[in-house]
Amino acid sequence: MISKNKLIEKKKKLEELEKRLLNDKKLPLLRSNLVFGEGSIKAQIFFIGEAPGLKEDQLRRPFVGRSGELLTKTLLSIGIKREDVYITNLVKRRPPENRDPSLEEIKKYEPYLKEEIKLIDPQIIITLGRLALKDFIPDIKIGQAQGKIFKIDNRILIPMFHPAFALRGTGNLAKFKKTFDSLPSILGKI
Ligand code: URA
């Protein structure tokens, strides 16, 4: 069990990280708001999406638009409360017109993501979508990798479809839900 003092220290370091991000004027996409990760600092499951959308930019919170609603609802359907996990993005500011973040943008924000992971220190990382998966395993297709278990730097990586993909048709939604439904059994095996 992590001590109270360690938790206070962790929280302080996360706040410092957020402040550094906010003040880093060399980062791309500075015209939009900073959307830092949120959730439990004790989380054992760490979700990584791509980049904030319009609603996330407005509210300065990750996954609070339609994709976020689906993510929150689907997590709850398998008995996981959103506030018990940690949720963040590869890129912490919204790309214009909701385009995908570029590889260059992802690389520029990457040191901050790495620090965020190190500070939260989760056992399991779940990447949401193709781009987040690519950041960890460049040469694998999401269709083949999703729902499988990978070991990366002493952590478990489970790639999942992005909720935005699930919102593009009932077939996609069924695939997305199926992987989430298998999560409790995957977690039980770890
Ligand atoms: N899509 C993402 O990848 N991240 C968000 O925060 C919202 C939508």
Side-chain angles (χ1 to χ4, degrees):
M1 254 260 287
I2 185 161
S3 74
K4 206 172 160 198
N5 280 350
K6 282 243 168 73
L7 281 178
I8 293 170
E9 183 72 4
K10 205 172 176 180
K11 194 157 178 271
K12 208 173 104 205
K13 287 201 173 144
L14 273 168
E15 283 165 3
E16 281 165 12
L17 180 66
E18 184 174 1
K19 231 178 249 159
R20 266 194 283 131
L21 253 164
L22 197 60
N23 293 326
D24 187 344
K25 301 300 174 208
K26 289 201 198 98
L27 286 171
L29 307 169
L30 288 179
R31 274 203 261 168
S32 40
N33 288 317
L34 179 71
V35 179
F36 194 62
E38 71 171 29
S40 167
I41 58 167
K42 291 190 269 183
Q44 281 308 312
I45 307 180
F46 188 105
F47 283 90
I48 308 174
E50 298 179 347
L54 179 64
K55 190 98 179 256
E56 287 78 18
D57 178 55
Q58 286 166 344
L59 300 180
R60 303 178 192 211
R61 291 181 58 205
F63 281 98
V64 287
R66 282 182 71 222
S67 287
E69 270 169 31
L70 178 62
L71 177 64
T72 307
K73 206 171 74 183
T74 314
L75 276 174
L76 209 53
S77 77
I78 54 163
I80 299 176
K81 288 196 218 119
R82 179 185 166 115
E83 54 270 30
D84 290 338
V85 300
Y86 190 88
I87 304 176
T88 195
N89 282 301
L90 293 171
V91 164
K92 311 289 200 246
R93 292 178 196 268
R94 180 188 178 223
E97 316 296 333
N98 282 355
R99 65 160 168 78
D100 283 348
S102 68
L103 223 52
E104 201 191 334
E105 286 159 351
I106 293 171
K107 288 289 161 221
K108 292 255 165 77
Y109 279 89
E110 194 166 52
Y112 291 101
L113 174 66
K114 292 269 146 80
E115 273 196 61
E116 212 178 3
I117 295 172
K118 213 167 147 200
L119 281 173
I120 296 293
D121 196 21
Q123 192 192 1
I124 298 150
I125 293 176
I126 297 184
T127 51
L128 295 168
R130 176 179 61 85
L131 293 177
L133 168 62
K134 206 171 160 187
D135 203 45
F136 288 86
I137 315 176
D139 305 317
I140 200 161
K141 291 244 171 358
I142 178 106
Q144 293 163 0
Q146 64 91 27
K148 301 213 171 103
I149 299 175
F150 298 85
K151 197 117 199 249
I152 304 260
D153 299 335
N154 276 331
R155 300 187 205 280
I156 304 287
L157 174 81
I158 307 172
M160 300 270 224
F161 287 122
H162 194 286
F165 160 84
L167 290 168
R168 275 181 244 126
T170 48
N172 291 4
L173 181 63
K175 285 187 197 163
F176 174 80
K177 284 201 167 142
K178 197 168 163 208
T179 318
F180 264 87
D181 285 344
S182 66
L183 196 57
S185 118
I186 295 173
L187 297 180
K189 284 188 213 137
I190 290 169

